[in-house]
Amino acid sequence: MAELQLYGRRSSHWTRVARIFSHELNLELPYTPIQDMAALDADAYGGHPALRLPALSVNGDVLVGTLNICRALVAAAGGSLRVVWPETAAGLLLANSHELTLQAMATQVTIVFARHLAKIPDDNLLLRKSQQSLEGSLRWLDERLAGVIAQLPARDLSFLEVSLFCLLDHLNFRQTAKLADYPLLQRFHASFGERHSAQATPFGFD
Ligand SMILES: N[C@@H](CCC(=O)N[C@@H](CS)C(=O)NCC(=O)O)C(=O)O
């Protein structure tokens, strides 16, 4: 079996997606926290050339991209979990749901970095537009969530639901939007949050 090491942060929603996958797969995944988000060299990010996280070391080589990392974890576990990946979920509704969930996660990263690390004021256009973008995606998802869940193929786990849960839990953790404004998303968050994998991987600061 390949030697794996995850580099990330417990406060990162992308890192949490990978951690939830490893829990669901019962896969032991050694974890190294990334200490300095202001660092400007790839070594500080587990070798991630784009200075992002998470990164997965596979026998000493670096794998980047959370979707790639989750696929590698599933392959390493060699188990029988039925996983729905973005490409196995057909149709416009599911395609748009994946895109808007991932875009909302990226926008949330921008908001958190701009506000807390770069100290950009809230009335700056970057933050105002990012906030509108995040809320637009959340509204779209909230209005269609019942149809989205119904259209997902039979599964033990889907990349979409894990990512969506991590996005929503991160809204609470970083206070970037009010989950109560999105009733269907709020219900989904509560229900997915009962899974052992969600409870075993709470957000926190390393
Ligand atoms: N597409 C990347 C996105 C990773 C990403 O943006 N991660 C955030 C943390 S949740 C990050 O690295 N933020 C660092 C920064 O904003 O400088 C993936 O799938 O892993």
Side-chain angles (χ1 to χ4, degrees), residues 124-189:
N124 184 286
L125 179 61
L126 173 71
L127 273 169
R128 283 171 39 226
K129 187 171 179 189
S130 297
Q131 193 67 37
Q132 287 298 318
S133 165
L134 175 63
E135 290 171 15
S137 294
L138 292 170
R139 253 192 323 276
W140 190 98
L141 288 161
D142 189 57
E143 285 162 7
R144 292 162 183 81
L145 189 67
V148 171
I149 300 294
Q151 280 192 23
L152 282 172
R155 63 203 176 278
D156 297 304
L157 201 61
S158 70
F159 187 74
L160 178 63
E161 288 166 294
V162 177
S163 303
L164 184 59
F165 171 75
C166 293
L167 165 70
L168 299 176
D169 211 43
H170 208 246
L171 299 179
N172 284 340
F173 179 61
R174 287 307 223 163
Q175 300 187 343
T176 41
K178 286 201 206 84
L179 197 46
D181 291 344
Y182 309 96
L184 265 74
L185 294 181
Q186 190 175 34
R187 223 177 304 151
F188 166 82
H189 171 259

Side-chain angles (χ1 to χ4, degrees), residues 12-14 37 51-54 65-67 109 113:
S12 144
H13 50 6
W14 295 103
M37 294 298 284
L51 314 185
R52 297 262 152 192
L53 47 120
T66 304
L67 178 57
V109 170
F113 194 91

Side-chain angles (χ1 to χ4, degrees), residues 36 90 139 192:
D36 181 7
R139 253 192 323 276
F192 195 97

Side-chain angles (χ1 to χ4, degrees), residues 92-111:
L92 292 190
L93 182 64
L94 291 183
N96 286 336
S97 302
H98 279 90
E99 173 60 22
L100 291 173
T101 299
L102 300 185
Q103 180 56 57
M105 291 173 82
T107 303
Q108 215 186 353
V109 170
T110 302
I111 292 172

